[in-house]
Amino acid sequence: MLKEIPKQFYYFLAVILVLNLVQSYFTELIYDESYYWYYSQNMAWGYFDHPPMVALLIKISSLFFNGELGVRFMSSILSVANILVLWLLIDHPKKNTFIPHFFVLVFSMTLLNAYGFLTLPDTPLLFFTSCFLLVYKKFIDKPSLGLSIVLGVVMACLMYSKYHAVLVIIFVLLSNLALVKNKYAWYAVIIALFCYAPHFYWLYQQDFVSINYHISERPNGAYSFEKYTLGFFVNLVAIFGLTFPFIYQALFKTKASGLFNKALLFLTYGVIVFFFLSSFNRRIQTQWVILICIPMVVLVFEYMMQNKTNAKWIYRLGLANIIIIFYLRIGLVHQPLLFNMHYETHGNKEWVNKVAQEARDTPVVFENSYRNASMYAFYSGNTSFSLNNVRFRKNQYSIDNTEETVRSKKILYITKYAKEGPFTFTKADGGKYYGTYIDNFSSYRKLQCIMDMEKDAIQLGKMLDFKVYNPYSFEIPLHELKFGVAYLDRYKKVKELVPLTVETTKEQTGLLQARDTMFLKIAPPVATKIKNPAYFRIVVSENNLYFGLNGKPISLAQ
């Protein structure tokens, strides 16, 4: 199959690979990449925000290179491999005469272009979506045990890449419901579940923290048509750039002709409809809809080969897209080309060096910024930690053991919320930060405040029972702890924070024992700054640090 591909195709592929490797080397990391690099420093079967595939890619990259290329090498490899798989998905007899059109189509898609070198969860998601479709195409032609095994492994790889992968599997299944009667399809499902079992077990060990966060605990905002639904349609345009009218024309003109073609259409329309409906509840990020690029490459390219007018315009506008994308890619390295507009790839080494020169070997704790903490660790090689409080959100620093690397040590505490400090610095984006030294730093962000009462039994101002669980291997003096209650609106944003006095029983000592639970009583006051709060959560301040994220949001809705 690969031998039948013309040399011209491989020449284009080689150029793209070299381009992406060069771009990877000269472009500073974006914050998400540094966060996923932080994942890879402690390999696990799962992480707070995502499954582990992105961390695995970075770990493999680091075996070959250091620095930025040590984060992005495998992304560059997967991007050209993805293009190759997409080509294999196309059976049209004329495709070898349209190789330049194919590369213009693929390379002009903005996010497919960006994920050619950036290392993000969507990078393996795109590659394994293409692989899944290729194996599925062979499977529907002639199912077998061998293909079942391969299909199951690829489905597991999809799910290890990003949770959105479930949409790929579901919509392809919906396009061919006869699969539920196919024993080989069930073999594939069983194999996929077996391969994915380690991640399920990790989720169980972590009390399903990732699922709970994405589904119920993630802060949201009030619905805005402009920001949410209209923004969703803007994203549908942005992922294709200038070619979007002719891209969608090809989609709308394509009719289902066979099970594989039907699967491509179901996947495309399914993802669009799913996120359209989701836009009435939350803002849809551009990369969430990038999944449609994979089936669209196949559908649109086949339409181009049948419609000369469509092919002509996609080719011309695609070249214009590519020129703009090239200019922007150079601007990622050389900021003046972006008219001095700041982007995440600008100035990171500079601010990290300023902090490192001040801190030297002293660990640095960033308040409410896993982005700054991971970026600092990457470029300085020094210890850092993100201390997350009730005004922010949980992340990987909330569940791993990084907190222990700064415990009982002198640290440099950096925040953007202070008004002054002995050490200050300004980042390239204009953000000003303040640093102060803390001797013998000690935080207990993993303390859990648990309330088992039904919401109908909760009355603000009345005495309530709750318990505090200490997951640490050491005892914690109660005099180091202060309790509070945070009142949240319906979008789970903190609107009021009130310190609390807790009552203990006479039998309780002044210590919260290691891996033990203490039962306490509180009387949460009626909120005064927010009318009819939707949620409240019990929080803990340790050693005069700002209150953490210790209790889960508890509904007060009537």
Side-chain angles (χ1 to χ4, degrees), residues 325-346:
I325 289 171
F326 264 119
Y327 184 85
L328 294 176
R329 286 181 62 153
I330 297 173
L332 294 179
V333 180
H334 191 58
Q335 186 175 357
L337 287 180
L338 296 182
F339 309 102
N340 287 320
M341 181 180 68
H342 172 75
Y343 186 63
E344 293 182 26
T345 57
H346 304 137

Side-chain angles (χ1 to χ4, degrees), residues 100 114 177 211 284 354 400 438 505-506 531:
L177 291 177
I211 305 300
I284 304 302
K354 288 180 181 178
D400 64 19
I438 299 177
T505 63
K506 294 181 180 179
K531 185 178 180 180

Side-chain angles (χ1 to χ4, degrees), residues 432-463:
K432 194 167 186 178
Y433 292 80
Y434 304 85
T436 186
Y437 288 96
I438 299 177
D439 294 320
N440 194 26
F441 176 82
S442 189
S443 63
Y444 311 123
R445 291 287 127 142
K446 292 183 182 179
L447 284 176
Q448 299 174 27
C449 296
I450 304 167
M451 183 171 288
D452 296 326
M453 299 176 63
E454 297 292 335
K455 70 177 182 179
D456 294 337
I458 295 175
Q459 296 183 38
L460 298 183
K462 302 293 184 180
M463 196 63 69

Side-chain angles (χ1 to χ4, degrees), residues 35 48-49 370 386 388 392-399:
Y35 184 45
F48 182 88
D49 312 76
Y370 62 87
S386 175
N388 309 305
F392 193 50
R393 73 167 182 89
K394 290 185 177 182
N395 48 64
Q396 183 61 24
Y397 288 94
S398 304
I399 65 173

Side-chain angles (χ1 to χ4, degrees), residues 31-92:
Y31 283 102
D32 280 352
E33 287 182 297
S34 68
Y35 184 45
Y36 302 137
W37 167 84
Y38 169 68
Y39 280 8
S40 71
Q41 301 310 291
N42 183 18
M43 292 300 297
W45 285 105
Y47 299 91
F48 182 88
D49 312 76
H50 294 290
M53 185 63 74
V54 66
L56 178 61
L57 292 183
I58 295 173
K59 178 60 72 173
I60 296 173
S61 297
S62 69
L63 299 177
F64 298 97
F65 299 98
N66 297 317
E68 290 88 353
L69 198 54
V71 173
R72 295 169 171 155
F73 176 67
M74 284 304 299
S75 293
S76 299
I77 298 298
L78 285 191
S79 69
V80 295
N82 186 37
I83 295 173
L84 179 60
V85 175
L86 284 170
W87 182 256
L88 296 176
L89 284 170
I90 300 165
D91 288 334
H92 201 284

